[in-house]
Amino acid sequence: MTTNTPDLGAQPTLDAAVQESLFDLGPSDEVGYRVPIACQVAGITYRQLDYWARTELVRPSIRGAKGSGSQRLYSFKDILVLKIVKRLLDTGISLQNIRLAVDKLRDRGVNDIAEITLVSDGTTVYECRSNEEIIDLLGGGQGVFGIAVPQIMKELTGTISAFPSERVLHDDAPTAEVTGIDELAARRRRKTS
């Protein structure tokens, strides 16, 4: 009898069902993640997330904060962009230049973002879609680094699946079909019922 042990070094792959559930949801039925999960998965602090939301660097696209007690909900794409911003900051790119780069990525879909590699010389952020472009950039004698968004996407997909999410219907009310429902929220709902 043989047992299959998982290869811990292997990268998670997106099967069709996971890809459909994360990327192809219609506007009336989206998956959202609360602030603590977004912070943990993106590797940032609450202060960073709050500042970036208030200054509109990365806004929660599913539900923003609307007064005391409201919960922001971040989409998979939002968390992907948060991870990209964090990686760019870690490499020393100024927040001003990161804002310019994020503005260029804002209107693109997750699948489009997942196919690019971001390269920088420490000042400017370049988008590369092929090895030839990266070679041309290096040919100028300028030192650059790269952020492979497909790798971030695979990492995020593998990590985020372990966290609870909320399905939001068109009326912006979470459904009862919440994966890994928040225990405190469930108790509150039972008290008010």
Side-chain angles (χ1 to χ4, degrees), residues 49-114:
L49 183 73
D50 185 54
Y51 177 73
W52 296 347
R54 285 185 290 111
T55 61
E56 299 188 354
L57 174 63
V58 182
R59 299 179 301 262
S61 62
I62 295 180
R63 184 173 59 215
K66 297 176 185 169
S68 179
S70 65
Q71 290 283 325
R72 293 182 188 131
L73 282 180
Y74 287 84
S75 69
F76 181 87
K77 178 184 171 186
D78 297 335
I79 297 174
L80 177 62
V81 173
L82 287 169
K83 284 186 78 73
I84 292 169
V85 169
K86 170 73 166 125
R87 296 257 174 108
L88 289 169
L89 276 175
D90 288 348
T91 58
I93 302 294
S94 72
L95 198 53
Q96 180 180 4
N97 286 340
I98 292 172
R99 282 184 191 282
L100 296 172
V102 168
D103 284 342
K104 300 291 184 189
L105 298 175
R106 196 174 309 277
D107 296 329
R108 297 184 183 183
V110 172
N111 291 331
D112 189 35
I113 293 172

Side-chain angles (χ1 to χ4, degrees), residues 44-190:
I44 59 175
T45 66
Y46 172 77
R47 282 184 175 216
Q48 286 174 306
L49 183 73
D50 185 54
Y51 177 73
W52 296 347
R54 285 185 290 111
T55 61
E56 299 188 354
L57 174 63
V58 182
R59 299 179 301 262
S61 62
I62 295 180
R63 184 173 59 215
K66 297 176 185 169
S68 179
S70 65
Q71 290 283 325
R72 293 182 188 131
L73 282 180
Y74 287 84
S75 69
F76 181 87
K77 178 184 171 186
D78 297 335
I79 297 174
L80 177 62
V81 173
L82 287 169
K83 284 186 78 73
I84 292 169
V85 169
K86 170 73 166 125
R87 296 257 174 108
L88 289 169
L89 276 175
D90 288 348
T91 58
I93 302 294
S94 72
L95 198 53
Q96 180 180 4
N97 286 340
I98 292 172
R99 282 184 191 282
L100 296 172
V102 168
D103 284 342
K104 300 291 184 189
L105 298 175
R106 196 174 309 277
D107 296 329
R108 297 184 183 183
V110 172
N111 291 331
D112 189 35
I113 293 172
E115 294 176 1
I116 65 173
T117 297
L118 299 177
V119 179
S120 179
D121 59 6
T123 305
T124 307
V125 179
Y126 302 96
E127 171 187 339
C128 297
R129 293 190 172 269
S130 70
N131 290 338
E132 291 77 29
E133 287 178 286
I134 295 172
I135 292 168
D136 288 341
L137 290 173
L138 293 174
Q142 191 77 328
V144 297
F145 65 88
I147 297 176
V149 177
Q151 181 61 33
I152 296 174
M153 178 106 162
K154 285 180 184 177
E155 178 183 308
L156 176 57
T157 302
T159 304
I160 207 164
S161 63
F163 290 93
S165 65
E166 298 181 26
R167 287 217 180 268
V168 180
L169 297 176
H170 199 58
D171 65 356
D172 202 31
T175 66
E177 182 193 325
V178 176
T179 58
I181 189 165
D182 181 6
E183 186 178 327
L184 181 58
R187 279 191 255 149
R188 286 182 184 146
R189 279 190 217 121
R190 283 192 297 264

Side-chain angles (χ1 to χ4, degrees), residues 24-56:
D24 299 329
L25 294 170
S28 64
D29 189 21
E30 298 181 17
V31 174
Y33 300 92
R34 292 184 181 205
V35 168
I37 293 166
C39 289
Q40 185 175 356
V41 172
I44 59 175
T45 66
Y46 172 77
R47 282 184 175 216
Q48 286 174 306
L49 183 73
D50 185 54
Y51 177 73
W52 296 347
R54 285 185 290 111
T55 61
E56 299 188 354

